[in-house]
Amino acid sequence: WLRHALDRAQLRERGGQARPRFLLIEIRASAPDAEAPAETGAGWVYATLGPAMTLFNVRSSSQAARNDQEVSLLKEVAEQRDFEFEAIPFTLDLEAPLSWHLSERDKGKIEEQLKEPANRDAFAAVERFLAASAPPA
C-alpha cells in the first residue's frame, strides 16, 4: 500500500503539490523495556516445559525486533524517496483478548492505559503531525 501511495503522491508532487507525508500509528502490547526477566528453576517441571516456554518468549521478542527493523527500513526509504515518514507508538500494557469483540471491562482498561504519560505524548505527536499537514486557514 505504501508503494502505491508513494507513486500517486509523486505524481501529485510533480504537479506542484506538497511533499508526501505518511504517519504510522503503532499499537504495542508492551513497552520495549518491559521485558520480564528470564525465570530460572530446576526440576522436572522446567525440564519439561522449559523448551515450550522458550519458544513462546522468543516468538514475542522476535516480533517486536522485526517490527522495529521494518519501521527503520521505512525511515530509510523515506529519506531515499524524499517523503516524510513518522512512526508514533502507543503502548497498551495489559492482558486483553486477541479479538475484535472487547468487553466493557477490556475497553475501560484500554482507555486507562491511553491516559498514561507516554500515550498522552503519542497523542500530542499525532496532533503535531496532523497540524503540520493542515492547509492554512
Side-chain angles (χ1 to χ4, degrees):
W1 62 265
L2 184 58
R3 233 182 259 127
H4 176 73
L6 278 173
D7 290 342
R8 293 183 56 85
Q10 286 179 336
L11 287 174
R12 283 191 300 268
E13 189 175 317
R14 287 185 199 134
Q17 293 183 356
R19 179 177 178 223
R21 304 177 77 231
F22 295 91
L23 173 64
L24 173 67
I25 296 177
E26 298 178 76
I27 301 174
R28 296 183 174 213
S30 63
D33 56 354
E35 295 290 326
E39 292 185 32
T40 60
W44 68 270
V45 173
Y46 283 99
T48 305
L49 298 178
M53 292 166 59
T54 300
L55 282 175
F56 178 76
N57 289 332
V58 167
R59 177 182 66 98
S60 297
S61 63
S62 67
Q63 288 173 341
R66 181 173 174 259
N67 181 67
D68 291 342
Q69 182 181 24
E70 294 288 340
V71 169
S72 177
L73 290 171
L74 278 172
K75 289 178 181 178
E76 287 180 24
V77 169
E79 289 176 16
Q80 293 168 0
R81 298 210 37 199
D82 192 33
F83 67 91
E84 184 178 347
F85 173 80
E86 186 169 351
I88 300 173
F90 287 84
T91 302
L92 301 176
D93 192 14
L94 51 90
E95 296 289 325
L98 299 175
S99 67
W100 289 103
H101 300 284
L102 299 173
S103 69
E104 291 304 315
R105 182 173 178 250
D106 292 328
K107 291 176 188 177
K109 287 180 187 177
I110 290 171
E111 287 179 9
E112 285 304 311
Q113 288 285 317
L114 290 174
K115 294 176 184 175
E116 293 292 323
N119 289 326
R120 284 198 316 257
D121 293 345
F123 275 118
V126 170
E127 289 175 346
R128 282 190 302 273
F129 183 91
L130 295 175
S133 61

